[in-house]
Amino acid sequence: MKVYLILSALSPTVFLWLCLQVYAWVFRRANNAKRRYVLQQLGIPPNEPKKLIGFFHPYCNAGGGGERVLWTAVAAMQRNEPEVVSIVYSGDIDATKESILGKVQARFDIQLDPSKIHFAFLNSRQWVEDSQWPFFTLLGQSIGSIYLAWEAMSVIIPDLYIDTMGYAFTFPLVSLICRIPVGAYVHYPTISTDMLARVRSRKKWHTNTSVVSSSAVLSKIKLLYYRIFMYYYASSLRTASFLMVNSSWTKNHIDSILQHHDALLDTLHLWPPIVLFNFLNSWISPKKSERITSARIVYPPCDTREMSIFPLDNREHVILSVAQFRPEKDHPAQLRAFAELLRRYPQYVKRDGTGNSVKLVLIGGSRNEGDARRVAELRKLAKELKVEEQTEITVNASYSVVLHWLSKASLGLSTMVDEHFGINVVEFMAAGVIPVTHASGGPLKDIVVPVNGKPTGYHAKSIEQFAEALGEALSLSTEDEIALRRRARTWAVQRFSEEEFEKGWNASRWKDYLGYSH
C-alpha cells in the first residue's frame, strides 16, 4: 500500500518532467532557422563557424556604469575573438541598432562593429519595472525577468548566456530549457543578508518602509518572504558556471549567498516528488565540472585615458555628481549636504561681486517616467532648500559634456549607501576630481583607499559629515590639494583601466564554455 501511494505521488512528477523535456526539445529545435536568419542579417555566410554569446541586458541603452561594463566586454570580444557574434537582449524597443551604437560611442567613446552584433528586442520589459509591482516587488520583478528571459530565448538561443544586469532567476530557465552554460557579471545582489537583518531588526530603509518596520506582524511576514526569496536566489546563482562581481563588497555578499542554506526549506525539499524531479533533471542536464562556491572580482572598466590628462590645478569651485537618477543614488542627500555646506560656510554662498561661490552640478541618466519624476522632485527640493541658484541638473548628458565638467570640477560627490562599486568615483579620481563618498561599499573598500598611508579622498555617512568633508576639501592648501589629486589619479589609472578589466573578464574562463552546448 505504501509503495502504491509513493508511486501515485511520483507519477505526476514524471509526467510533468517528460512534458517539460518535450517542450524544451521543440523549443531548441526551432533555433537552427533563427540562427541562420541572424547570421544572414549580419551578412555572415551560413557555413562560416560562429559562436553566439548572448548578453541579457534589458536596459542596454541606459548609459550608466553597468552599460559601460557591457559595451567594454562586447568591444573586447570584437577585437580579440573573430569567431564570436554578440547577441544583446534589449528592451529598448523605442531605439534602433544604429541609435544604440551611436549613443555608446557618444556616451562611452566605444566604437563597435555593427556586423558583429545583433540586437534581440524584447517587448515585455515592463514586467521587470518596479512600478509594475507595488507589493512583493522583488518577487514580481524576478518572475517578470523569467518571462523576459523566455521571450529572449524565443528570439534566439545563443551558445553561451551571460547576464550583465543581475537577473539570477533567469539562470535555471535558460539552463533547463536551452541546455546552454550560464555566466554572469553581478553588480549588486538582488537580496542580501543585510536586507534580512534590517527586516529582522525592524529598521526603516528604502527596501523596508515604515509601515512594515513599525509592525511586528508585518515584519515577521516579510522576514519569511525574504527567507524564501533568499533560498531560491542562492539556488539560482549556483546554476551559473562562472560568476564575476564588481567589488570586494559584492563578492563578500555573493559568496555568502552561494553558501546560504535554510534548514526549514532544505527539509521541505526532501519531499519525494521534488527529489525525483531534481534527479531526473540532473541526469540529462549539462554537467558542470564543479559546483560554484565563489565569485571572481573583475573591477569595472574606466576609460581613464582622456580624463588622466586633465590639469590638476586651477579647478573651479564645482561639486560634481555623476549618477543615474535612481532612488538608491540618493540625490536628495546631495542637495541637503550642499545646503548644509552653504549654511556652515557662508563664504561659498553666491553673492553679487564675489567669486568664491560654490556650484553643485548633478549629471545623470533618466531611464523612465520614474526617473523623470525624481528629477522634477530634485528641482523642487533645490528650490525649497534655497540652493537652486547654485545648482545645475543635466539629464542624459553626452560623454563630451561629462568630460567637460570632469575637467573643471574640484570635488566629486557620491552619497549612495552600499554602492556596489562606483565607476563614477573612479572617473572623479582619474580626472583629478577629489572624491567625497559614502563610507560603505566599493568606494570605502576598493576605490577611495589610502595609498602609501595617505588619503585619496573623503568618506562620510550623515548629511552633516558630508558637509564637513566638502568644506574641508575646499579648504585644502594648493600644495595638499594637488598632491591628493595626483595620488588619487595614479591609483585609479593603474587599478581600474580597461586593460585590467579585460584581463579579469578573460580570467573568468568564459571561453571554456563556448564549445559546451547541447
Side-chain angles (χ1 to χ4, degrees):
M1 184 65 177
K2 291 182 179 179
V3 174
Y4 173 76
L5 291 175
I6 293 174
L7 290 176
S8 298
L10 296 182
S11 294
T13 303
V14 175
F15 178 73
L16 175 63
W17 181 83
L18 287 173
C19 289
L20 182 62
Q21 299 313 311
V22 171
Y23 174 77
W25 179 81
V26 173
F27 193 88
R28 294 192 300 271
R29 185 176 177 83
N31 194 57
N32 290 332
K34 297 172 183 177
R35 186 185 183 99
R36 287 193 299 269
Y37 174 77
V38 167
L39 294 178
Q40 183 182 19
Q41 291 290 304
L42 296 173
I44 299 173
N47 58 346
E48 189 172 324
K50 292 292 181 183
K51 290 293 184 179
L52 306 186
I53 298 184
F55 291 92
F56 191 69
H57 203 108
Y59 292 92
C60 76
N61 204 31
E67 288 66 58
R68 179 183 282 280
V69 169
L70 166 68
W71 300 123
T72 303
V74 171
M77 289 180 177
Q78 289 190 348
R79 285 194 306 270
N80 305 319
E81 312 294 338
E83 79 284 1
V84 165
V85 172
S86 300
I87 308 293
V88 178
Y89 299 99
S90 169
D92 298 292
I93 56 177
D94 57 342
T96 64
K97 176 178 180 176
E98 292 73 20
S99 67
I100 293 175
L101 296 184
K103 183 174 180 179
V104 170
Q105 178 154 17
R107 175 67 181 88
F108 303 121
D109 195 27
I110 296 175
Q111 178 73 47
L112 295 171
D113 183 353
S115 68
K116 293 182 180 179
I117 184 170
H118 175 78
F119 286 86
F121 289 103
L122 312 176
N123 295 302
S124 306
R125 191 177 70 180
Q126 71 271 17
W127 295 114
V128 297
E129 296 273 359
D130 53 6
S131 59
Q132 290 285 334
W133 309 96
F135 304 103
F136 298 101
T137 306
L138 289 180
L139 176 61
Q141 288 181 295
S142 298
I143 293 172
S145 72
I146 295 171
Y147 181 79
L148 194 61
W150 174 84
E151 183 188 354
M153 297 302 100
S154 298
V155 177
I156 185 169
I157 301 173
D159 297 299
L160 171 64
Y161 173 94
I162 302 179
D163 165 53
T164 47
M165 274 205 72
Y167 293 113
F169 283 89
T170 66
F171 301 176
L173 172 85
V174 173
S175 179
L176 181 64
I177 301 296
C178 303
R179 302 261 173 237
I180 59 174
V182 170
Y185 188 98
V186 182
H187 297 273
Y188 199 84
T190 303
I191 190 170
S192 67
T193 51
D194 289 349
M195 292 170 66
L196 268 72
R198 288 182 186 122
V199 175
R200 188 176 286 112
S201 64
R202 296 172 61 182
K203 179 180 179 181
K204 183 182 176 182
W205 199 250
H206 68 266
T207 58
N208 194 44
T209 64
S210 58
V211 174
V212 175
S213 62
S214 62
S215 169
V217 174
L218 291 179
S219 291
K220 287 181 179 179
I221 293 173
K222 185 165 186 175
L223 183 60
L224 176 61
Y225 161 51
Y226 269 16
R227 282 179 60 187
I228 296 171
F229 190 92
M230 171 70 88
Y231 187 87
Y232 288 106
Y233 179 61
S235 298
S236 297
L237 284 174
R238 289 192 285 264
T239 306
S241 297
F242 60 93
L243 289 173
M244 294 173 275
V245 294
N246 60 355
S247 68
S248 302
W249 185 91
T250 308
K251 175 178 170 58
N252 291 338
H253 280 78
I254 293 298
D255 287 356
S256 174
I257 293 167
L258 287 171
Q259 305 300 326
H260 177 77
H261 288 281
D262 188 299
L264 173 61
L265 293 171
D266 282 339
T267 302
L268 290 176
H269 280 73
L270 294 177
W271 189 39
I274 295 178
V275 172
L276 177 62
F277 187 91
N278 290 336
F279 170 76
L280 292 172
N281 189 55
S282 64
W283 179 44
I284 67 166
S285 292
K287 302 298 187 295
K288 293 195 296 182
S289 58
E290 58 184 17
R291 174 177 166 178
I292 190 167
T293 57
S294 65
R296 171 181 291 275
I297 298 176
V298 180
Y299 291 121
C302 236
D303 184 6
T304 59
R305 293 165 297 182
E306 192 167 355
M307 300 174 194
S308 62
I309 63 174
F310 293 157
L312 297 176
D313 56 353
N314 297 321
R315 292 301 183 104
E316 297 181 10
H317 272 187
V318 171
I319 301 171
L320 178 64
S321 167
V322 180
Q324 288 182 321
F325 291 106
R326 306 203 309 260
E328 63 270 23
K329 297 299 183 181
D330 202 1
H331 287 89
Q334 297 178 5
L335 288 172
R336 292 189 173 95
F338 183 55
E340 180 65 15
L341 170 72
L342 299 183
R343 188 187 71 80
R344 294 188 179 199
Y345 299 87
Q347 66 267 34
Y348 296 132
V349 175
K350 184 177 181 180
R351 294 185 177 90
D352 293 338
T354 64
N356 201 37
S357 64
V358 176
K359 183 176 185 178
L360 175 65
V361 177
L362 308 181
I363 298 178
S366 176
R367 305 162 301 169
N368 48 40
E369 291 182 5
D371 288 353
R373 283 195 299 271
R374 276 183 280 277
V375 172
E377 290 167 1
L378 287 173
R379 297 187 192 280
K380 181 180 177 182
L381 178 61
K383 190 171 183 179
E384 292 173 357
L385 295 171
K386 296 181 172 54
V387 296
E388 72 274 18
E389 289 189 12
Q390 291 178 242
T391 302
E392 180 175 328
I393 300 176
T394 303
V395 180
N396 295 330
S398 68
Y399 187 61
S400 61
V401 170
V402 175
L403 289 177
H404 167 75
W405 283 111
L406 285 170
S407 69
K408 294 172 60 176
S410 290
L411 309 181
L413 182 58
S414 174
T415 49
M416 179 176 171
V417 179
D418 287 341
E419 171 76 86
H420 37 295
F421 180 69
I423 288 181
N424 57 334
V425 179
V426 177
E427 290 177 339
F428 292 154
M429 297 167 74
V433 179
I434 297 173
V436 180
T437 75
H438 195 276
S440 64
L444 177 67
K445 295 183 177 181
D446 296 299
I447 306 175
V448 188
V449 297
V451 173
N452 297 325
K454 296 183 178 180
T456 55
Y458 295 83
H459 297 291
K461 288 188 175 181
S462 65
I463 298 298
E464 293 73 21
Q465 288 176 359
F466 271 106
E468 194 60 35
L470 291 169
E472 183 178 336
L474 288 168
S475 304
L476 288 172
S477 68
T478 301
E479 182 181 353
D480 289 343
E481 178 185 324
I482 296 298
L484 196 158
R485 295 186 196 280
R486 183 173 291 113
R487 257 192 323 272
R489 168 176 287 176
T490 301
W491 168 251
V493 170
Q494 290 177 351
R495 187 63 168 166
F496 306 112
S497 66
E498 289 188 3
E499 292 75 18
E500 288 298 313
F501 169 78
E502 288 186 28
K503 289 178 186 176
W505 182 274
N506 289 329
S508 71
R509 298 174 52 226
W510 63 269
K511 283 187 268 191
D512 293 354
Y513 299 97
L514 270 183
Y516 180 41
S517 59
H518 290 219

